[in-house]
Amino acid sequence: GAVVSQHPSRVICKSGTSVKIECRSLDFQATTMFWYRQFPKQSLMLMATSNEGSKATYEQGVEKDKFLINHASLTLSTLTVTSAHPEDSSFYICSASPLVGRTDTQYFGPGTRLTVL
Amino acid sequence: KQEVTQIPAALSVPEGENLVLNCSFTDSAIYNLQWFRQDPGKGLTSLLLIQSSQREQTSGRLNASLDKSSGRSTLYIAASQPGDSATYLCAVAGNTPLVFGKGTRLSVIA
């Protein structure tokens, strides 16, 4: 149980295009989903926290107009990287906290590798 | 601001050896501490979660301890195997969302 999926697992795009990454909780409902970014040999850095039906809360230094987050349902959150540039190339990982049960636990997705050319 | 440090950054051991990974954090007001495993290019697998009121948790060959007052946790891996090779991340949850360390990259040599 408690499986989180991400799609796509890997994406390569041209500079200036927008990329959408989906995060789904497959077998549980999640009121809160988190988006992280991980650069090579670095730790995961929280980008934003999204709650179903409300606006996401962004961490300091993360541009909300560049990284659009939508949490439309209790099982789906999307991250759209708008006008992507090479410096946005990174590993993006989402996580989800269940609505019931172990609400203090985050279950992580497998990550999405974004490469911007 | 919570900061999490993991030492060593990398570790290489022969198969069968017992080993200890270290994690320290600056703010002792935490709810829990988790150890994760990350394989190259992959997501995170939760290994152990220790609540702030607990001292340790065990799962198979893994044992994690927590000393909240000193801001330290250790992950003990017994009888290491090549399949244990991965990056091990420590993360703490407190008044802020999860804060991760940079990880310890473990290589177990057959």
Side-chain angles (χ1 to χ4, degrees):
Chain A
V3 178
V4 176
S5 70
Q6 280 184 243
H7 178 79
S9 59
R10 185 181 295 266
V11 57
I12 301 173
C13 68
K14 293 182 179 180
S15 184
T17 61
S18 294
V19 175
K20 179 187 285 189
I21 302 171
E22 292 185 348
C23 176
R24 292 182 185 272
S25 55
L26 298 185
D27 51 3
F28 66 98
Q29 292 183 320
T31 49
T32 306
M33 290 186 172
F34 304 87
W35 286 96
Y36 295 84
R37 180 167 52 182
Q38 185 181 34
F39 292 107
K41 297 186 179 180
Q42 298 297 313
S43 65
L44 276 72
M45 297 299 295
L46 180 67
M47 299 174 66
T49 302
S50 81
N51 292 291
E52 187 265 340
S54 63
K55 291 184 178 180
T57 302
Y58 290 81
E59 295 300 301
Q60 192 173 10
V62 178
E63 300 173 57
K64 61 181 66 176
D65 294 330
K66 181 170 184 62
F67 298 99
L68 301 179
I69 292 173
N70 184 286
H71 193 156
S73 76
L74 287 173
T75 58
L76 173 65
S77 176
T78 60
L79 168 68
T80 301
V81 183
T82 62
S83 187
H85 289 96
E87 58 266 29
D88 298 323
S89 298
S90 186
F91 193 55
Y92 292 86
I93 302 178
C94 74
S95 69
S97 288
L99 179 62
V100 295
R102 298 191 63 176
T103 58
D104 63 343
T105 299
Q106 293 182 33
Y107 298 97
F108 285 80
T112 296
R113 172 76 59 194
L114 170 63
T115 303
V116 185
L117 301 176
Chain B
K1 179 185 174 186
Q2 179 72 273
E3 293 183 5
V4 179
T5 304
Q6 291 187 246
I7 295 174
L11 181 63
S12 184
V13 300
E15 181 178 7
E17 193 162 296
N18 302 324
L19 57 101
V20 175
L21 307 181
N22 296 290
C23 172
S24 62
F25 46 95
T26 55
D27 185 353
S28 61
I30 66 170
Y31 298 145
N32 60 56
L33 181 145
Q34 277 187 273
W35 283 92
F36 294 89
R37 169 186 173 137
Q38 185 177 31
D39 292 290
K42 303 293 185 182
L44 275 63
T45 300
S46 179
L47 299 174
L48 291 164
L49 182 151
I50 310 177
Q51 299 291 352
S52 62
S53 58
Q54 298 175 321
R55 288 279 187 167
E56 65 177 346
Q57 283 285 335
T58 298
S59 176
R61 293 182 294 110
L62 305 179
N63 176 276
S65 68
L66 173 63
D67 184 342
K68 203 172 71 161
S69 61
S70 67
R72 296 185 183 205
S73 175
T74 60
L75 179 66
Y76 175 83
I77 302 177
S80 58
Q81 303 170 356
D84 295 330
S85 298
T87 295
Y88 290 81
L89 296 166
C90 164
V92 297
N95 290 327
T96 56
L98 277 180
V99 178
F100 284 82
K102 290 186 178 181
T104 293
R105 193 167 61 256
L106 173 65
S107 296
V108 181
I109 311 301

